[in-house]
Amino acid sequence: MARFGRLALGLGISLLAGAAHAAQDIEIHQVSADGVGDSIGTVTVEDSEHGLLLTPDLSGLSPGMHGFHVHQNPSCEPAEKDGEMTAALSAGGHFNPNDGEHHGPYQEGHLGDLPVLMVDQDGNATTPVLAPRLEMADLQGHALMVHQGGDTYAPEPELGGGGARVACGVIEQ
């Protein structure tokens, strides 16, 4: 009986350890041309039967819609563009392994296009979004980005994916 108990306990711990990998919290920081700032919260990501579920718990953002994307590189550091430092530019462009157009999260295009992030009047983002073409494994080694302003999901103008980069989190490998 003791042997069965140890086996059951070991199996239970293994199942719990597996469940611990079912979701991942990504810490999101303010970003500016000066660098990476304070944390504004987390986005919890987890696979679901309908795609990747992203649940934000963010504060300190301006109210309204914000562009929300997975970016190519695992960095939130500023970089120089046209002689000026730009917030989180080291993250590169949208995650786009199939070289698609910028069409939004529900059509063929940038795999990193996510539904817009909604921020309430108090500056909090807590409404989950679903990315049906992504799974957690796709995120590893990339960055999660919040842009000022909504997303037109259009290739033009250049900032069709939203305005300036205001918050970013690195997704660990």
Side-chain angles (χ1 to χ4, degrees):
M1 192 67 148
R3 185 174 181 183
F4 177 75
R6 284 190 301 254
L7 178 62
L9 178 62
L11 180 59
I13 289 171
S14 295
L15 289 173
L16 286 174
H21 295 289
Q24 178 181 356
D25 289 336
I26 301 164
E27 189 164 2
I28 306 296
H29 294 266
Q30 295 172 334
V31 293
S32 72
D34 295 325
V36 179
D38 294 335
S39 174
I40 62 168
T42 60
V43 174
T44 301
V45 295
E46 57 190 312
D47 288 324
S48 79
E49 64 182 88
H50 302 290
L52 184 68
L53 180 64
L54 298 100
T55 306
D57 186 9
L58 304 173
S59 61
L61 294 165
S62 61
M65 293 188 306
H66 290 263
F68 193 37
H69 307 102
V70 177
H71 278 245
Q72 185 62 41
N73 304 320
S75 176
C76 295
E77 295 296 327
E80 189 174 325
K81 180 179 181 181
D82 299 328
E84 292 186 28
M85 294 303 285
T86 302
L89 193 61
S90 292
H94 297 173
F95 176 52
N96 189 15
N98 301 322
D99 200 29
E101 296 290 321
H102 184 57
H103 292 300
Y106 305 110
Q107 302 176 35
E108 294 300 316
H110 293 177
L111 204 52
D113 287 347
L114 301 175
V116 294
L117 186 67
M118 296 302 299
V119 179
D120 67 22
Q121 291 302 313
D122 295 323
N124 301 312
T126 57
T127 303
V129 299
L130 184 66
R133 299 184 306 131
L134 287 174
E135 56 187 46
M136 282 183 60
D138 295 322
L139 299 181
Q140 303 308 307
H142 298 291
L144 196 56
M145 190 72 65
V146 177
H147 294 264
Q148 186 63 41
D151 192 336
T152 64
Y153 300 113
E156 299 293 332
E158 184 178 336
L159 291 177
R165 299 168 185 208
V166 296
C168 179
V170 173
I171 305 159
E172 300 297 329
Q173 300 228 32

